[in-house]
Amino acid sequence: MGVLANKGEKVKVRVRVNGVWYERYVSPRMLLVDFLRDELGLTGTKVGCDTTTCGACTVIMNGRSVKSCTVLAVQANGADILTIEGLAQDSKLHPIQQAFMDNFALQCGYCTPGMIMQTYFLLKENPNPTEEEIRDGLHGNICRCTGYQNIINAVKDAAGRMRS
Amino acid sequence: MLKVYLFIQYKYYKHVYPPDFAYYIPNSIYEAVDFLGRYDNARPLAGGQSLLPMLKLRLLNVDYIVDLNPLKELDYVSLNKDYMEIGALTRYYEVLKSSIVNEKLPLLSMVIRKVGDMQVRNMGTIAGSLANADPASDTCAVTLVFDADIVTTSSSGNRVIKARDFFKGPFTTALAKDEIVTAIRYPILEGYKFNFVKVVRRAGDYPLVSVAVAVKLKDGVIEDLRLGYAGVSQTPYRPFEVEKSFIGKSLKDSIEDIVSKVVEGVNPPSDTRGSSSYRKEVMRNVTRKALREVMG
Ligand SMILES: Cc1cc2nc3c(=O)[nH]c(=O)nc-3n(C[C@H](O)[C@H](O)[C@H](O)COP(=O)(O)OP(=O)(O)OC[C@H]3O[C@@H](n4cnc5c(N)ncnc54)[C@H](O)[C@@H]3O)c2cc1C
Ligand code: FES
Ligand code: FES
């Protein structure tokens, strides 16, 4: 028989975030982004539009980028999740983070965690993207500050660093 | 003053939550449809890329969510003799990754490559788009171009619904309360030329108007013509009569005729994306562009 959680009841969710397993009891309507931010305290992932448009909440779930404001925490049960906090290794920035810094690809920085996670997915799928492919890959992420040009440069730069 | 007020409203009401719902995880397709039949106001959840935004914006209310995601048997692409079958839980991402889909259904790939953005395609499914039946969905329109077979399961068994009989109105389909889509069968159209033209207000949005075209030509003469529009009607739209009336005619000489005829049967909606008359104008333009490009 299937499992039913009635209204008001909580459901057990077990997820591996940045290499660590967590277990929490949550309401089925809890969104993944709030699970990460409020339950686990990982506030690097941002909420912008909250309506699947801006990409600020992008995280990697089972190897693919998702907008975590549009995924239920219960849908992530058993999943492997990577957030912006999981990229740096031994206090050394990930090449994508370094490329964003070096290319001035951020101003206020609000869109940046989402941009970087989407770039992470894009470069995993396509290690040597053309400019058009970069623009297509990032169009689900909105930036109100930079005018995108430096972001595109950063992604090209990051691609080069990661290939070498 | 109003601006400040709106800003505060926006700030405090910004973080939107779906209403409270009960949540059911079925072990089998049978359990899922059985549950849907027994409980009122229950809905299946696939990728959630339409369902969750609609719940958050209170365009929809549900009491029970039946999570189809554990039903891995619905996640596949398989090639049969003259059709391709795509399981209901196959994500857009996987459909686009599939080399047999790219090879055998180039029109489908062309269209869904432009659905939403990568993140949406990593979660969303074709079946979810069909069941959602948004009149602006290109996925629905292209499925109608193929007149695909939509395979469903309910407590009373399986059936096949032709795409042309599936869409009943905005966000309304032929599915019964306890019925889910389990697969879609796209016929392989051999010897056709394809095109897809989509006009959007901003990158990643649903189209204002889009058209998917399949045309079979012999020495420039139309043997079969199929035009599928999103955003111009209450449902995805195919001008079946117009299509038929051009069989046997030269495509080159007919483009302007087709362009003026296709808008006759529609009364497009006016909304934030555009007015009715503007949509008609765009419909003419995308039709002309799509057909001219097909001519090469
Ligand atoms: C930012 C954004 C941009 C988008 N742009 C486009 C676009 O350009 N063109 C386009 O066509 N679409 C677009 N979409 C819509 C997107 O394609 C659909 O949201 C999505 O793929 C629907 O599939 P899903 O699996 O997420 O369905 P869900 O959201 O899980 O479900 C949608 C509906 O279908 C029902 N349902 C789901 N699966 C089944 C099933 N197997 N049987 C019966 N009922 C079922 C659900 O109960 C619900 O009512 C966009 C969405 C977003 C968020
Ligand atoms: S906050 Fe999720 S897409 Fe904007
Ligand atoms: S840096 Fe401010 S939104 Fe992108």
Side-chain angles (χ1 to χ4, degrees):
Chain A
M1 268 304 282
V3 185
L4 174 66
N6 279 306
K7 279 188 191 177
E9 278 177 17
K10 296 199 166 181
V11 182
K12 185 166 90 177
V13 173
R14 239 172 79 78
V15 281
R16 188 162 171 261
V17 183
N18 303 330
V20 181
W21 281 102
Y22 297 88
E23 197 175 292
R24 293 285 188 281
Y25 285 83
V26 302
S27 162
R29 68 173 177 155
M30 175 171 261
L31 302 167
L32 177 58
V33 68
D34 297 312
F35 182 84
L36 295 169
R37 289 177 55 88
D38 301 343
E39 290 289 325
L40 306 186
L42 296 170
T43 52
T45 305
K46 304 302 179 204
V47 181
C49 65
D50 210 359
T51 50
T52 336
T53 309
C54 75
C57 62
T58 301
V59 301
I60 308 294
M61 180 164 112
N62 293 330
R64 299 194 202 150
S65 58
V66 298
K67 292 182 171 174
S68 61
C69 73
T70 312
V71 177
L72 297 173
V74 289
Q75 280 178 286
N77 188 26
D80 202 356
I81 289 179
L82 181 66
T83 69
I84 189 76
E85 288 93 344
L87 283 186
Q89 297 287 328
D90 305 324
S91 326
K92 196 169 170 304
L93 290 182
H94 187 278
I96 302 174
Q97 292 172 306
Q98 194 63 49
F100 268 64
M101 242 179 89
D102 296 348
N103 289 276
F104 305 100
L106 58 145
Q107 288 177 30
C108 79
Y110 201 83
C111 69
T112 314
M115 285 285 179
I116 289 181
M117 297 320 286
Q118 180 56 19
T119 303
Y120 180 92
F121 174 70
L122 176 69
L123 295 183
K124 191 170 72 91
E125 292 289 303
N126 181 357
N128 192 10
T130 62
E131 172 153 346
E132 201 177 318
E133 286 166 343
I134 295 173
R135 288 182 183 274
D136 187 50
L138 290 183
H139 83 225
N141 294 68
I142 292 174
C143 176
R144 292 284 82 149
C145 305
T146 64
Y148 301 100
Q149 206 50 52
N150 288 351
I151 294 179
I152 309 294
N153 293 341
V155 177
K156 284 185 197 158
D157 185 12
R161 291 176 198 228
M162 286 167 73
R163 284 198 310 273
S164 61
Chain B
M1 214 28 230
L2 183 66
K3 257 193 187 152
V4 174
Y5 175 72
L6 284 176
F7 179 67
I8 293 170
Q9 285 259 311
Y10 180 66
K11 218 172 138 78
Y12 288 99
Y13 291 108
K14 194 178 67 140
H15 204 39
V16 278
Y17 249 81
D20 211 2
F21 51 77
Y23 175 72
Y24 180 66
I25 307 176
N27 282 324
S28 64
I29 298 173
Y30 176 76
E31 279 185 10
V33 295
D34 182 55
F35 190 96
L36 288 168
R38 283 190 292 119
Y39 289 81
D40 283 336
N41 204 14
R43 288 251 183 174
L45 168 73
Q49 300 303 292
S50 285
L51 188 54
L52 296 179
M54 287 169 89
L55 288 173
K56 286 164 95 177
L57 297 171
R58 299 297 187 274
L59 297 172
L60 197 75
N61 208 336
V62 298
D63 289 315
Y64 297 90
I65 292 252
V66 177
D67 193 348
L68 301 182
N69 289 280
L71 306 177
K72 301 290 178 229
E73 64 269 36
L74 294 178
D75 180 358
Y76 63 89
V77 172
S78 77
L79 177 61
N80 297 280
K81 200 162 151 282
D82 49 6
Y83 65 89
M84 179 89 63
E85 183 164 315
I86 300 178
L89 266 188
T90 317
R91 315 286 162 171
Y92 281 113
Y93 169 89
E94 270 134 17
V95 180
L96 283 172
K97 274 259 150 164
S98 155
S99 52
I100 48 167
V101 173
N102 288 317
E103 187 194 324
K104 298 285 182 188
L105 300 174
L107 180 64
L108 186 69
S109 302
M110 235 185 247
V111 173
I112 67 178
R113 194 169 290 126
K114 292 257 176 337
V115 165
D117 51 53
M118 272 192 183
Q119 291 100 316
V120 168
R121 295 193 299 266
N122 280 342
M123 288 298 287
T125 62
I126 294 180
S129 297
L130 301 182
N132 199 50
D134 190 320
S137 161
D138 328 280
T139 305
C140 295
V142 73
T143 303
L144 187 58
V145 167
F146 284 97
D147 199 12
D149 283 340
I150 299 169
V151 187
T152 72
T153 299
S154 70
S155 333
S156 37
N158 301 340
R159 65 170 173 152
V160 169
I161 309 171
K162 283 268 169 211
R164 68 169 79 195
D165 303 321
F166 186 78
F167 303 103
K168 297 295 185 196
F171 305 98
T172 311
T173 67
L175 290 173
K177 172 173 158 20
D178 67 339
E179 187 171 28
I180 63 166
V181 176
T182 50
I184 307 104
R185 291 181 188 150
Y186 289 95
I188 290 158
L189 300 178
E190 305 267 16
Y192 281 73
K193 290 185 167 186
F194 304 108
N195 204 357
F196 176 57
V197 177
K198 173 170 180 169
V199 173
V200 288
R201 280 171 68 238
R202 57 178 166 76
D205 196 9
Y206 282 90
L208 171 75
V209 174
S210 73
V211 65
V213 177
V215 54
K216 193 171 195 177
L217 296 174
K218 194 172 179 198
D219 304 326
V221 171
I222 299 171
E223 287 196 332
D224 189 20
L225 172 66
R226 302 172 182 212
L227 302 160
Y229 295 89
V232 305
S233 185
Q234 304 285 308
T235 57
Y237 181 68
R238 253 185 85 179
F240 287 106
E241 291 305 315
V242 178
E243 293 173 359
K244 243 192 280 163
S245 69
F246 285 92
I247 290 175
K249 298 193 175 149
S250 141
L251 175 60
K252 187 158 165 271
D253 300 336
S254 306
I255 293 182
E256 283 312 312
D257 269 356
I258 297 173
V259 166
S260 62
K261 289 255 165 58
V262 285
V263 294
E264 279 173 10
V266 295
N267 181 15
S270 289
D271 61 20
T272 49
R273 290 196 187 92
S275 69
S276 184
S277 59
Y278 179 54
R279 279 196 153 90
K280 271 197 179 178
E281 193 54 38
V282 176
M283 191 179 172
R284 281 190 271 266
N285 284 333
V286 293
T287 308
R288 185 180 294 113
K289 182 169 194 292
L291 291 175
R292 281 194 186 157
E293 283 174 6
V294 159
M295 295 278 312

